[in-house]
Amino acid sequence: MQTLAQGITYNFIANEFMLSKSRAWTKVYDPASQNFITRVPESTDAEIQNAIVAAASAQPAWAALSLSKRRNMLLNLLNTLKQSSSKVRHCLCVEVGKTLVDAEAEFERALDAVETACTVSNEMGGVHHLNQSAEVYTIYQPLGVCLTISPFNFPFMIPLWSIPYALITGNTVILKPSEKTPSATQALAECFYRAGFPSGVFNVINGGGSVVNTLLAQPTIRAVSFVGSEVAGERVYDHAKATRKRVQVECNGKNHGVVLDDASKMKALYAIAGSAFGAAGQRCMSLSVAVFVGSTKEWIDDLVTLAKSLVIGCGLDPLVEVGPMISQAAKARVEEVITTAENEGAKVVLDGRNYHVPDYPNGNFIGPTILTKVHPYMSCYQEEIFGPVLCCVEVNTLEEAIQLINENRYGNGCTLFTSSPVNAGIFQRLVNVGQVGINVPILAPSGPVLRTANKDSFLGDQYVSGRSSWQFFAMTKTVTSLWS
């Protein structure tokens, strides 16, 4: 493999790392120290076309390989990923700001996704239907070239939710990673190269919104997988549907955690704090609303004490539990949300604004923040904050809590903390949210488990991951034959 210069992010096209000829580059900084990490190109139209041609040219031969050979290539990829574990985890800590524990969790869940794709059923080979007068069978064929657009917060795991399924089905792939966190993707491309994938089967094009628009306009691309913000997701969905592409979009969430007075108090509070403030709240599956039912509102003081004890700093420090925001702009936006909430009547009982970490005075840090007296009409409740901010809402009954959840427009997930199986049964039956937890913080399912977000949190044709996800990347064809 060619030697790559430090401080530059390369495109990966037809098994070559290519230095972009773009005149527009974005600099990426360590969110804890503000040290320079790399620069990312806004890839040119010619470079995008080169990636399209490479992927389209490679697809017929890749599809012609047997399922077992494509599976073996993914197994080779698993081995190269494991060999790159230290490098990938370091990228996640330094560039994304993850703690060591969070980086390890992302890496392991990424491996889980690839392993699950390797276990897909032989149903991919087709189904023969019994018929007395004719031969009828259903076959599955690849769509062609598929596009994955991934966010900054899980730059290694989320691409592997879709890419292995697209590949094992016989498609080729172009990945457009977030321009905010490109290094883990470059490490992923190196792994694909070392695993021996044929030229053009996996490609990476860097850039921002204009690159996405150019890619979506290409008729050669037949399917799009996107995870990111609601605004960008709606644009991707509308563009993809207008050009007759298959599309799956997972975007914003406002995940509620309901606390009943029969819950295990400290287990519930630890779960809420970990989910709300871990990864600096930059997870679409974070618990961002705690709904305290009845007397449990008296537990909020203990939650504040617990949140104050969390260690904030650089993710490479093994003692750190909460890292920085991804950028100065993200930090400023979240601080503005807190100020707006205060102006609208919410009470800031724990204020993380202007948080100072002595060893990292320029870091994008916001301390855990807890808002009480929050009402559904407030902007802090209506919007996904995407920061270490927990909105606390008080209701009198479980029924009120369920109604609150059902009236919220997002449907990523919700959870209930209780010791009563009866209450758990009522909750999981009556909430209209796709992913439900009982006594666990909201965590994204992995491996063979489908992600089942709904309402405004999901747009598209089929859910994002799970053992049956290969069907999104396949065209179904039914053949009926009659021979005399």
Side-chain angles (χ1 to χ4, degrees):
M1 190 178 75
Q2 65 206 87
T3 301
L4 304 181
Q6 296 294 315
I8 298 174
T9 299
Y10 291 77
N11 290 326
F12 183 68
I13 303 172
N15 274 8
E16 290 187 26
F17 288 93
M18 296 185 174
L19 182 63
S20 175
K21 295 183 179 180
S22 174
R23 295 182 178 180
W25 294 73
T26 301
K27 292 183 179 180
V28 176
Y29 299 93
D30 180 334
S33 67
Q34 301 304 319
N35 291 333
F36 171 78
I37 298 176
T38 188
R39 51 180 57 82
V40 185
E42 187 75 9
S43 296
T44 66
D45 288 350
E47 290 160 353
I48 295 171
Q49 290 301 324
N50 289 341
I52 295 284
V53 170
S57 300
Q59 195 274 325
W62 175 249
L65 294 177
S66 66
L67 172 62
S68 62
K69 288 184 178 179
R70 294 197 297 268
R71 179 184 285 123
N72 284 339
M73 292 301 300
L74 285 175
L75 292 172
N76 289 343
L77 176 64
L78 266 176
N79 290 330
T80 61
L81 292 176
K82 292 175 182 177
Q83 293 166 9
S84 300
S85 172
S86 296
K87 180 176 183 178
V88 171
R89 287 185 282 117
H90 182 79
C91 287
L92 296 175
C93 289
V94 172
E95 194 168 81
V96 189
K98 289 183 181 286
T99 64
L100 291 170
V101 172
D102 284 344
E104 177 66 22
E106 177 173 353
F107 184 81
E108 292 300 325
R109 289 164 74 86
L111 296 185
D112 194 20
V114 181
E115 290 171 350
T116 302
C118 292
T119 66
V120 296
S121 166
N122 288 329
E123 182 185 355
M124 285 177 59
V127 179
H128 189 274
H129 305 279
L130 295 177
N131 189 293
Q132 292 182 347
S133 59
E135 181 183 15
V136 182
Y137 55 94
T138 300
I139 58 177
Y140 301 98
Q141 295 180 330
L143 299 175
V145 180
C146 300
L147 171 65
T148 291
I149 306 169
S150 59
F152 76 83
N153 55 336
F154 288 92
F156 188 72
M157 177 185 75
I158 286 181
L160 294 175
W161 280 352
S162 57
I163 290 171
Y165 293 100
L167 294 178
I168 202 165
T169 316
N171 303 281
T172 52
V173 172
I174 296 174
L175 169 60
K176 206 302 289 183
S178 170
E179 65 275 21
K180 298 176 183 177
T181 52
S183 297
T185 299
Q186 186 155 297
L188 178 62
E190 293 172 3
C191 291
F192 268 94
Y193 180 86
R194 295 203 311 273
F197 276 78
S199 172
V201 170
F202 173 75
N203 308 272
V204 178
I205 282 288
N206 291 286
S210 64
V211 170
V212 171
N213 290 336
T214 303
L215 286 166
L216 290 173
Q218 306 303 311
T220 305
I221 290 176
R222 301 308 308 145
V224 182
S225 299
F226 172 92
V227 179
S229 72
E230 182 179 23
V231 172
E234 288 179 345
R235 291 173 181 169
V236 168
Y237 178 80
D238 291 342
H239 198 158
K241 296 305 287 187
T243 51
R244 301 296 190 267
K245 300 176 184 3
R246 288 192 187 179
V247 59
Q248 50 188 9
V249 168
E250 190 171 14
C251 42
N252 288 15
K254 198 70 177 180
N255 307 311
H256 294 60
V258 178
V259 185
L260 298 184
D261 56 11
D262 62 3
S264 173
K265 178 180 177 180
M266 293 314 297
K267 286 183 179 180
L269 295 183
Y270 271 103
I272 292 170
S275 182
F277 307 127
Q282 298 172 115
R283 296 183 291 205
C284 62
M285 297 307 298
S286 292
L287 275 183
S288 52
V289 180
V291 184
F292 291 91
V293 180
S295 63
T296 62
K297 62 186 178 183
E298 298 172 4
W299 299 4
I300 293 177
D301 289 343
D302 292 316
L303 179 61
V304 170
T305 301
L306 176 59
K308 286 180 178 178
S309 71
L310 297 174
V311 180
I312 302 165
C314 175
L316 290 172
D317 184 338
L319 298 178
V320 165
E321 297 164 294
V322 180
M325 300 292 296
I326 188 63
S327 67
Q328 293 178 342
K331 175 186 175 182
R333 186 190 63 79
V334 172
E335 289 183 335
E336 183 179 354
V337 169
I338 299 169
T339 300
T340 300
E342 193 172 26
N343 292 338
E344 291 180 346
K347 183 178 179 181
V348 184
V349 295
L350 180 60
D351 194 346
R353 289 171 291 185
N354 303 312
Y355 196 92
H356 181 68
V357 177
D359 293 336
Y360 298 92
N362 299 317
N364 307 324
F365 295 104
I366 296 180
T369 298
I370 297 177
L371 306 175
T372 61
K373 309 297 183 183
V374 172
H375 298 281
Y377 58 79
M378 294 179 175
S379 57
C380 63
Y381 179 84
Q382 294 287 338
E383 303 170 4
E384 182 182 54
I385 299 174
F386 225 60
V389 181
L390 179 66
C391 297
C392 296
V393 180
E394 300 172 15
V395 298
N396 294 319
T397 66
L398 175 59
E399 289 71 25
E400 288 181 51
I402 292 172
Q403 181 179 359
L404 183 73
I405 292 170
N406 290 348
E407 291 176 352
N408 190 273
R409 68 190 185 94
Y410 294 118
N412 254 354
C414 61
T415 194
L416 176 71
F417 297 97
T418 182
S419 61
S420 167
V422 173
N423 287 331
I426 293 171
F427 182 79
Q428 65 194 41
R429 185 173 67 253
L430 296 182
V431 291
N432 62 5
V433 172
Q435 298 176 117
V436 181
I438 304 296
N439 294 322
V440 295
I442 298 298
L443 294 175
S446 63
V449 183
L450 278 174
R451 293 178 60 80
T452 51
N454 59 18
K455 299 197 281 188
D456 286 358
S457 294
F458 181 79
L459 305 169
D461 302 313
Q462 189 171 325
Y463 289 125
V464 174
S465 63
R467 187 169 282 126
S468 62
S469 292
W470 63 269
Q471 295 174 2
F472 173 81
F473 300 102
M475 174 181 66
T476 306
K477 185 182 292 185
T478 300
V479 180
T480 302
S481 301
L482 181 62
W483 303 95
S484 58

